[in-house]
Amino acid sequence: MKLNAILVEDEETSRAILRNYLSKYCPNISIVGEASNVEEALVLIRNNDLDVVFLDVEMPYGNAFDLLDKVGHVDFETIFVTAYNHYAIEALNAHASYYLMKPISIDELIKAVDYVTEIKSKEEALQDQVLVPKTNAVNGKITLPQQDGFEVIETADIMYCKADDNYTEIYLNNNKKKLVSKTLKYIEESLKDGNFARVHKSYLVNVNEVVKYVKGKGGSVILSNGKEVMVSASKKAELLAYFK
């Protein structure tokens, strides 16, 4: 399976080595960005759907643990890459998937990626065992799994959806909210035939409910209920395409 990843490392030489090793020996890793400090990494994490972060511990203006604290809900696997072994306990407490020592061993890197791939494969298999929300293109309805079965709602009644770790909050135009035990990525897939745009890592909006767009690097949209939702720069073009 393909895994989206970012490299967080302040030394360009170290990033280049890791990048080359991953490209050559771990072809299922897709590097979607690189960062040299905590703030750059935070932007990448908030604007991308990530499966794994390769994370150096010591960086300018903060360290790996500062970054993870700022992220809050961590929905990706973390592979620490460091020259110092005394961070191992902290990494374990931060739920690290793997701890790689510099200089990087190719065999250990492959083991780390295989381990994360196995984790992600098991997560995907577990999710597939549960009822996946489905839409019906004919009548515009979606089924939402519940403990005792499922609920059917009109897709047109959905105002927007918000990621909440491995859950999704679905906000309806009657001011009601539904909490579903599915990731936003799953909900997005189930609504792909409707007028729904992923405007941010954490938000999926019904474009029929958009009443205003506010300019900016990514900008933001105002929905018919007055809710303002930020638009990430990488999703801006996709959103604006609905209004051409």
Side-chain angles (χ1 to χ4, degrees):
M1 64 186 303
K2 206 73 173 176
L3 301 180
N4 288 337
I6 62 170
L7 313 184
V8 184
E9 162 68 65
D10 64 311
E11 296 181 1
E12 169 56 33
T13 301
S14 296
R15 283 205 311 276
I17 291 172
L18 180 55
R19 185 193 315 125
N20 291 336
Y21 281 178
L22 289 170
S23 175
K24 188 172 183 179
Y25 301 105
C26 305
N28 68 317
I29 296 292
S30 175
I31 301 173
V32 299
E34 298 181 14
S36 62
N37 56 56
V38 169
E39 292 307 317
E40 290 177 0
L42 199 57
V43 171
L44 287 175
I45 290 170
R46 287 174 173 170
N47 288 284
N48 291 279
D49 291 312
L50 300 176
D51 298 299
V52 59
V53 171
F54 292 86
L55 185 57
D56 186 20
V57 176
E58 295 191 345
M59 292 176 285
Y61 314 112
N63 61 30
F65 307 107
D66 296 325
L67 172 61
L68 295 176
D69 285 342
K70 289 184 177 182
V71 170
H73 290 295
V74 175
D75 56 0
F76 50 80
E77 302 302 318
T78 306
I79 296 177
F80 280 84
V81 186
T82 178
Y84 307 98
N85 59 16
H86 57 269
Y87 289 113
I89 297 299
E90 284 184 88
L92 181 63
N93 291 336
H95 306 290
S97 300
Y98 215 92
Y99 195 87
L100 289 174
M101 291 293 298
K102 296 178 183 177
I104 297 172
S105 159
I106 294 172
D107 288 341
E108 283 299 308
L109 176 62
I110 293 172
K111 285 181 183 178
V113 170
D114 286 346
Y115 181 69
V116 169
T117 302
E118 183 179 359
I119 291 174
K120 288 297 181 180
S121 296
K122 287 180 178 179
E123 286 179 358
E124 192 170 285
L126 182 61
Q127 287 177 325
D128 287 342
Q129 292 174 11
V130 185
L131 179 65
V132 177
K134 293 181 175 63
T135 55
N136 186 316
V138 176
N139 56 26
K141 297 181 185 294
I142 183 174
T143 58
L144 303 179
Q146 297 181 332
Q147 286 187 335
D148 59 350
F150 61 87
E151 181 180 4
V152 181
I153 64 173
E154 300 279 349
T155 58
D157 290 340
I158 299 174
M159 184 77 62
Y160 67 95
C161 305
K162 179 184 178 183
D164 182 9
D165 203 0
N166 289 322
Y167 292 79
T168 298
E169 298 174 354
I170 298 179
Y171 291 82
L172 306 177
N173 55 21
N174 59 3
N175 293 321
K176 290 186 177 180
K177 180 179 77 172
K178 306 287 184 181
L179 183 64
V180 183
S181 58
K182 287 294 177 184
T183 64
L184 187 59
K185 187 181 293 186
Y186 265 87
I187 299 298
E188 179 183 16
E189 179 64 22
S190 70
L191 292 170
K192 65 181 180 181
D193 295 326
N195 289 318
F196 288 85
R198 186 73 172 267
V199 298
H200 188 277
K201 178 187 176 184
S202 300
Y203 285 94
L204 179 72
V205 303
N206 184 343
V207 295
N208 291 322
E209 299 293 341
V210 174
V211 297
K212 184 178 181 180
Y213 171 75
V214 180
K215 289 182 179 180
K217 184 175 181 181
S220 64
V221 290
I222 309 296
L223 304 181
S224 60
N225 66 348
K227 169 71 175 179
E228 182 174 11
V229 178
M230 300 304 295
V231 178
S232 64
S234 61
K235 300 292 185 181
K236 181 178 179 178
E238 181 182 338
L239 169 70
L240 296 182
Y242 281 91
F243 300 96
K244 287 184 178 179

